[in-house]
Amino acid sequence: MFGLVSRHRSPEGKTSSVGFAVQFDLQTGEVWDLLNDSGLLGMIPDVDLFLGQFSDEEPMLLSWEVEHLGSALIPKLHIGGEEWLYPAIGFRDGMRMETLAGGAGDHGSTLSSFLHPAVWRETLM
């Protein structure tokens, strides 16, 4: 699982989450939406060959690129050089996003597939 999520409390006191979150299945190569009910976003055709490109010295990178355009946040998901489109969400004043990352350890060890977790923010002008 890999995502950027914002929690919002309505005036009535209900809490909801918006953002971008996916599950990348290391056995099948499927990329699933976890937050916006979009289902299967796509898949990597030969997942074993794809995963074989990465090592401890050159790990696979997962990243979100989010463009803030007007009142919309438009995301692109990058998985090891592949780019995936994801549904946009509305931006709210004071919105804070939190990162989520985790794994079930199914394709050997998740730790050997996802090394050196890091979070950074870059603002382009």
Side-chain angles (χ1 to χ4, degrees), residues 8-104:
H8 174 71
R9 185 177 302 271
S10 71
E12 297 81 32
K14 292 184 178 182
T15 302
S16 63
S17 295
V18 297
F20 323 113
V22 295
Q23 173 187 335
F24 175 37
D25 188 318
L26 296 174
Q27 292 180 333
T28 65
E30 297 172 337
V31 181
W32 291 90
D33 175 26
L34 292 178
L35 194 57
N36 297 308
D37 296 323
S38 295
L40 182 65
L41 298 174
M43 65 185 307
I44 294 176
D46 189 343
V47 70
D48 290 329
L49 182 63
F50 178 77
L51 292 175
Q53 301 175 73
F54 307 104
S55 67
D56 290 354
E57 289 80 32
E58 294 187 40
M60 177 174 54
L61 298 177
L62 280 76
S63 66
W64 288 101
E65 178 182 330
V66 181
E67 183 177 355
H68 183 184
L69 186 60
S71 64
L73 296 176
I74 304 168
K76 291 180 190 166
L77 171 65
H78 300 271
I79 301 175
E82 298 286 325
E83 184 175 284
W84 306 88
L85 300 178
Y86 192 86
I89 63 169
F91 175 78
R92 297 183 186 107
D93 285 335
M95 183 180 224
R96 289 183 50 191
M97 300 199 87
E98 300 173 24
T99 58
L100 303 172

